[in-house]
Each structure stands twice: as C-alpha cells, then as structure tokens.
Amino acid sequence: MLFLWSNRFLCFFIALLALASLVLAESDTDGLDPDEELLCTPVNANACEPCPLDALNQPYCQPFGNRRLMHCSPLTPPDHSENSQHSTGEVLAWSACGRIPNVERRDYFEFILCNFLFAAVAIFIVWARERKMRLGRARVLAARIGLVGRGAV
C-alpha cells in the first residue's frame, strides 16, 4: 500500500512540475517572436549600474550583479503593409555587465579597512590580556617571596 501511495505521489509531483514548466515557458516570451533576431546596442557605453535586490537572480544580473540598459531593434525591418500602426519593433532590455571599477575599488578598500580594524581590536585584546596576566604573575611572585604584607621600602 505504501508503494502505491509513493508511486502516485511521485506521478502527481512530476505532472505538477511539467505544468509549472509549461506556464513559465509561456510567460517568458513577453510578446516577442523568439525566432526574430535582434541587434542590441548599449544606450550609454559606460552605464553599468548595480542590480536592485529583487532582480539579482535574473540572468542579466549574473555573474557580477551589474546590468546595462540596451536598445534592441530587429535585424529585418518590420512589415507595415498589413496594419496601420507604425511600430518599429524597438525594445529596451537589460544586459549583463562586467565589474564597475569604482565600486570594486571602494569594496576593496572597505575590505582592507575592516581587516585592519579587526587586527587592531585583536592586538588590543592580546595586549590587555598579557598585561593582566603579567600583573597576576607579579602578584603571585610577590606573595611567594613575602613582599605583600610589608610596607613599601
């Protein structure tokens, strides 16, 4: 009985995944013809910008988390003989972008500063601990040789 239940559950799960992939495949087209080839040029050649947090998992934000606005137009001119609308087929899209040197430089120096602060705090803690240990050892030594109960000479 357990085998039949797990088998039915597995079939249901596979069918659900297939249905979800069909729905996602239909929603990814965004009304564009997937066979149409587009020529994309950047709107501004040096306009790489960081992706917003809600778009970091999008393909155009990979691998560095930056994107650039692209102006895409079809390689073949649209046919205007059938309809009276004069749409040129131009589309604005995002493209992946490399690293932004200014942001990378700022992040690098922030990393160096944090490491320096961690090292400074660690050195201070070691220094304070050694000082406390040295004073404790001096007290123990003074108690052993009998300097604790006498007046200062």
Side-chain angles (χ1 to χ4, degrees):
M1 181 70 180
L2 181 62
F3 175 71
L4 290 176
W5 172 250
S6 64
N7 195 12
R8 286 181 183 164
F9 178 74
L10 183 62
C11 290
F12 174 74
F13 186 70
I14 290 173
L16 187 63
L17 284 176
L19 180 65
S21 67
L22 285 175
V23 169
L24 289 175
E26 288 178 6
S27 67
D28 285 344
T29 60
D30 295 332
L32 297 174
D33 184 12
D35 296 332
E36 183 178 13
E37 293 188 27
L38 298 174
L39 174 65
C40 296
T41 56
V43 172
N44 186 354
N46 297 325
C48 289
E49 63 184 44
C51 290
L53 293 177
D54 60 338
L56 281 177
N57 60 346
Q58 298 295 326
Y60 53 81
C61 287
Q62 302 298 325
F64 300 114
N66 300 320
R67 66 183 183 179
R68 174 181 17 206
L69 189 61
M70 302 292 280
H71 180 80
C72 300
S73 57
L75 289 177
T76 58
D79 185 18
H80 295 295
S81 62
E82 293 179 5
N83 52 5
S84 61
Q85 294 178 346
H86 294 291
S87 66
T88 59
E90 296 173 348
V91 177
L92 289 177
W94 293 106
S95 172
C97 194
R99 295 182 179 175
I100 303 172
N102 292 337
V103 173
E104 295 297 325
R105 188 176 299 112
R106 185 191 69 216
D107 289 345
Y108 173 74
F109 285 119
E110 180 182 338
F111 173 74
I112 295 297
L113 179 66
C114 287
N115 281 337
F116 177 75
L117 289 176
F118 288 143
V121 168
I123 289 171
F124 174 76
I125 289 172
V126 168
W127 175 79
R129 181 179 179 272
E130 286 297 318
R131 183 171 181 256
K132 182 178 177 182
M133 297 293 285
R134 188 176 53 243
L135 290 175
R137 284 191 301 265
R139 270 193 229 110
V140 169
L141 180 62
R144 278 189 185 165
I145 60 176
L147 295 177
V148 176
R150 301 180 184 177
V153 179

